[in-house]
């Protein structure tokens, strides 16, 4: 389907040209024989610079970067970079748009980021251009190292830089979509027939908030392992460290792995299949206290599991609660690795200590405490509860990304697909299931929701990929088929990655599950 905004972008092109000349903007250059698309116009923003560089067969200045990504065979494309600002914020937002010269499939694909980065650039653009998409990525104007630490979060006076936070939370993907559609229309002489967004983790969150805030931007949204309720999730990611801090005990990764092996052995068959995977972590009730007194071999040493170890594991699996016992968010699913969130380290001298997940620790240091150098290893239950309340109250409206009212997205004809690994050790799949249920309540039930939003849960799969279970192979193709041909997917072909031999399978539409004979029931 075509959206009115695509036609509007084409109609604005003459006006954009006149505005650009009138304000004396920097002229577009095009080395490498790259055509010069007209400059775009974006209400509330000012274009600072725009350039275009031809990349014949993916070579040129980007060759070394592309080669590191295994980008051989990238078709010739025009690399368009736009720099804009939102007066009076004084930000400098970079948008990069790759336009295939002769292999364009008529579609636009906006791509999301990861962790505290708004965009992945080459990592996301290479596969998109290979498939014929005109593709875009943005840095949201966040200076410095794209992943961490988020030095951009604080102004010089120590206050939160709300403008850049808004960029990261929701504004920049919307800006990117509006800019890219105009440039595409000018470059090819016609607008993109269909517009898609793809992202996982932070990118998944960006996809959700697009459907919630800007329902007309995309025909299809692929929002995988979305960081729903970011302001609560990031605190839940820090919860394992709080539990260990409070107990004064920091088990090794080897000890944590012993609990997971025992949980898998106890719950493997809950889904009717013995495959070394917990297919139903929601029904797994393995009690970690069953390992108390047993021994495990770790790096040549024999370690006896204590009741303190078991209590730490139980609290991590249960998830964060207030001191009064009220649930605050979900916990690590049984079967998921402890290494990301319950990491520990042993210095040469001194006791073992916690090694927190950087995104969670930085969210606390910069956005909640506004103390970048704070030692978070002292945070216990009382301070955690206070910080959780601050994060929920201060940032929910900005970056919560969990509004279940998708009526405008449905009315615009949009389709959204989400898949999530059930052994995700970073973003808990219970959050995706909980959001889907809330959408059902707001949108008229499961059947009505399935008409425009479908969720797929992948047993044994980790964060965005990996793990011991089969992950969806090409969910974007399924989304395209749904948007353009009306064929809503009930299952996604799946396969493991990095295992020998590879295991193929299917991932079923929620709430169905795959059976041993590869059917969904």
């Amino acid at each position: 389907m075509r959206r009115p905004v695509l036609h509007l972008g084409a109609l604005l092109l003459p006006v954009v040209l006149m505005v650009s000349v009138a304000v004396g903007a920097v002229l577009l250059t095009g080395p490498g024989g790259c055509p010069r698309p007209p400059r775009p116009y974006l209400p509330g923003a000012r274009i600072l610079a725009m350039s275009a560089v031809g990349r014949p067969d993916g070579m040129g200045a980007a060759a070394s970067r592309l080669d590191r990504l295994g980008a051989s065979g990238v078709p010739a494309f025009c690399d368009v970079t736009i720099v804009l600002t939102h007066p009076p914020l004084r930000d400098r937002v970079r948008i990069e748009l790759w336009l295939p010269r002769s292999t364009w499939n008529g579609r636009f694909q906006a791509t999301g980021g990861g962790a505290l980065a708004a965009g992945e650039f080459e990592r996301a653009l290479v596969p998109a251009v290979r498939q014929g998409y005109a593709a875009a990525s943005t840095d949201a104007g966040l200076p410095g190292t794209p992943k961490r630490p988020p030095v951009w979060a604080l102004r010089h006076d120590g206050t939160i830089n709300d403008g850049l936070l808004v960029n990261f939370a929701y504004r920049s993907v919307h800006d990117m979509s509006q800019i890219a559609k105009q440039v595409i229309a000018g470059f090819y002489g016609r607008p993109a027939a269909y517009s898609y967004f793809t992202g996982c983790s932070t990118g998944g969150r960006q996809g959700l908030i697009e459907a919630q805030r800007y329902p007309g931007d995309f025909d299809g949204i692929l929002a995988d392992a979305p960081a729903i309720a970011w302001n609560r999730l990031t605190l839940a990611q820090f919860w394992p460290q709080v539990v260990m801090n409070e107990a004064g005990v920091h088990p090794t990764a080897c000890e944590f792995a012993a609990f997971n092996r025992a949980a898998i052995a106890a719950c493997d068959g809950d889904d009717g299949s013995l495959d070394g995977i917990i297919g139903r972590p929601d029904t797994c009730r393995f009690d970690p206290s069953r390992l108390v007194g047993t021994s495990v071999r770790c790096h040549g040493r024999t370690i006896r599991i204590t009741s303190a170890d078991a209590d730490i594991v139980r609290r991590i699996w249960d998830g964060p609660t207030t001191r009064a016992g009220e649930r605050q968010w979900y916990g690590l699913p049984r079967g998921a690795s402890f290494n990301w969130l319950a990491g520990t380290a042993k210095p040469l001298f001194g006791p073992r200590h916690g090694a927190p997940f950087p995104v969670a620790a930085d969210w606390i240091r910069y956005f909640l405490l506004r103390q970048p150098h704070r030692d978070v290893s002292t945070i216990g239950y009382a301070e955690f509860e206070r910080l959780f309340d601050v994060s929920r109250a201060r940032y929910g409206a900005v970056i919560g990304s969990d509004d279940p009212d998708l009526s405008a997205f449905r009315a615009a004809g949009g389709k959204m697909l989400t898949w999530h690994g059930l052994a995700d050790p970073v973003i808990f799949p219970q959050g995706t299931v909980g959001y889907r249920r809330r959408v059902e309540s707001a949108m008229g039930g499961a059947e009505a929701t399935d008409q425009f939003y479908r969720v797929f849960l992948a047993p044994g799969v980790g964060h965005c990929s990996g793990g011991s279970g089969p992950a969806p192979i090409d969910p974007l193709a399924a989304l395209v088929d749904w948007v353009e041909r009306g064929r809503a997917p009930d299952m996604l072909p799946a396969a493991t990655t990095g295992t020998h031999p590879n295991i193929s399978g299917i991932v079923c539409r929620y709430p169905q599950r795959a059976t041993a004979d590869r059917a969904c029931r």
Side-chain angles (χ1 to χ4, degrees), residues 227-230 232-237 318-321 326-331 388 402 427-428 430-432 434-435 438:
I228 296 170
W230 175 282
R232 288 177 283 170
L233 168 68
T234 47
L235 270 296
Q237 291 171 331
D318 287 347
T321 61
E326 177 187 354
R327 176 181 292 279
Q328 295 168 300
W329 195 244
Y330 306 98
F388 198 101
D402 58 352
I427 298 177
F428 316 131
Q430 306 97 302
T432 291
Y435 178 71
R438 292 176 58 227

Side-chain angles (χ1 to χ4, degrees), residues 98-282:
W98 289 10
L99 305 171
R101 296 290 296 272
S102 61
T103 58
W104 186 42
N105 62 16
R107 304 180 181 99
F108 164 51
Q109 181 183 156
T111 64
L116 285 163
E120 295 283 347
F121 290 92
E122 289 92 347
R123 187 177 301 279
L125 299 179
V126 164
V129 170
R130 268 196 184 131
Q131 294 178 18
Y133 288 88
S137 189
T138 180
D139 68 358
L142 310 183
T145 304
K147 291 293 178 80
R148 66 174 296 266
V151 294
W152 53 267
L154 299 176
R155 299 188 185 95
H156 293 301
D157 61 1
T159 59
I160 299 296
N161 193 324
D162 291 299
L164 290 183
L165 178 60
V166 165
N167 281 358
F168 174 67
Y170 58 84
R171 178 164 54 194
S172 287
V173 171
H174 173 65
D175 286 356
M176 174 174 64
S177 74
Q178 302 307 297
I179 292 284
K181 288 174 184 178
Q182 294 177 51
V183 173
I184 288 169
F187 183 85
Y188 294 109
R190 60 187 174 95
Y194 298 94
S195 297
Y196 296 93
F197 176 86
T198 63
C200 189
S201 193
T202 286
R205 180 194 62 77
Q206 291 169 317
L208 288 185
I209 211 163
E210 272 291 309
Q212 296 161 14
R213 286 182 178 263
Y214 306 106
D217 278 359
F218 298 104
D219 302 290
I221 293 175
L222 182 62
D224 299 332
I228 296 170
W230 175 282
N231 56 316
R232 288 177 283 170
L233 168 68
T234 47
L235 270 296
Q237 291 171 331
F238 192 75
W239 172 253
Q241 298 293 322
V242 175
V243 172
M244 293 187 292
N245 292 346
E246 188 79 23
V249 176
H250 296 83
T252 65
C254 177
E255 292 169 85
F256 279 127
F259 284 96
N260 255 343
R261 288 194 299 271
I264 292 171
C267 301
D268 185 1
D270 287 0
D271 60 350
S273 176
L274 292 174
D275 51 9
I277 294 171
I278 299 180
R280 295 289 307 271
D282 56 322

Side-chain angles (χ1 to χ4, degrees), residues 6-20 37-41 178-191:
L6 298 179
H7 300 290
L8 178 60
L11 292 173
L12 282 173
L13 292 176
V15 177
V16 171
L17 283 172
M18 291 187 290
V19 171
S20 298
R39 297 172 65 88
Y41 168 73
Q178 302 307 297
I179 292 284
K181 288 174 184 178
Q182 294 177 51
V183 173
I184 288 169
F187 183 85
Y188 294 109
R190 60 187 174 95

Side-chain angles (χ1 to χ4, degrees), residues 264-474:
I264 292 171
C267 301
D268 185 1
D270 287 0
D271 60 350
S273 176
L274 292 174
D275 51 9
I277 294 171
I278 299 180
R280 295 289 307 271
D282 56 322
T283 65
C284 182
R285 297 292 180 264
F286 171 74
D287 184 351
S289 66
R290 290 168 55 183
L291 287 192
V292 173
T294 63
S295 297
V296 58
R297 291 287 293 177
C298 295
H299 308 294
R301 296 173 54 233
T302 298
I303 299 177
R304 185 173 295 276
I305 302 296
T306 68
S307 58
D309 298 329
D311 187 61
I312 286 171
V313 169
R314 178 182 61 79
R315 290 177 180 271
I316 291 173
W317 280 343
D318 287 347
T321 61
T322 66
R323 286 167 293 169
E326 177 187 354
R327 176 181 292 279
Q328 295 168 300
W329 195 244
Y330 306 98
L332 188 71
R334 285 167 169 79
S337 172
F338 287 84
N339 294 350
W340 290 64
L341 306 185
T344 63
K346 176 67 172 71
L348 185 59
F349 301 103
R352 180 172 293 276
H353 59 79
F357 183 51
V359 174
D362 285 342
W363 180 258
I364 291 173
R365 291 186 181 109
Y366 284 85
F367 291 92
L368 301 183
L369 297 174
R370 291 183 292 167
Q371 300 173 19
H373 303 294
R374 165 69 186 273
D375 178 9
V376 295
S377 67
T378 62
I379 294 176
Y381 293 138
E383 187 173 8
F384 177 84
E385 186 172 333
R386 181 184 66 81
L387 292 172
F388 198 101
D389 290 341
V390 171
S391 189
R392 182 168 52 186
R394 171 71 169 82
Y395 297 105
V398 180
I399 201 170
S401 317
D402 58 352
D403 184 354
D405 183 0
L406 299 180
S407 54
F409 181 68
R410 178 176 62 185
K415 305 291 188 244
M416 184 159 62
L417 189 156
T418 290
W419 77 264
H420 204 144
L422 286 176
D424 191 325
V426 180
I427 298 177
F428 316 131
Q430 306 97 302
T432 291
V433 173
Y435 178 71
R436 161 67 197 215
R437 289 174 176 167
R438 292 176 58 227
V439 172
E440 290 176 7
S441 296
M443 302 302 298
E447 185 175 349
T449 301
D450 276 341
Q451 300 306 306
F452 68 95
Y453 175 39
R454 296 192 171 200
V455 170
F456 296 78
L457 302 177
V461 178
H463 186 55
C464 298
S465 64
S468 54
I473 297 171
D474 192 355

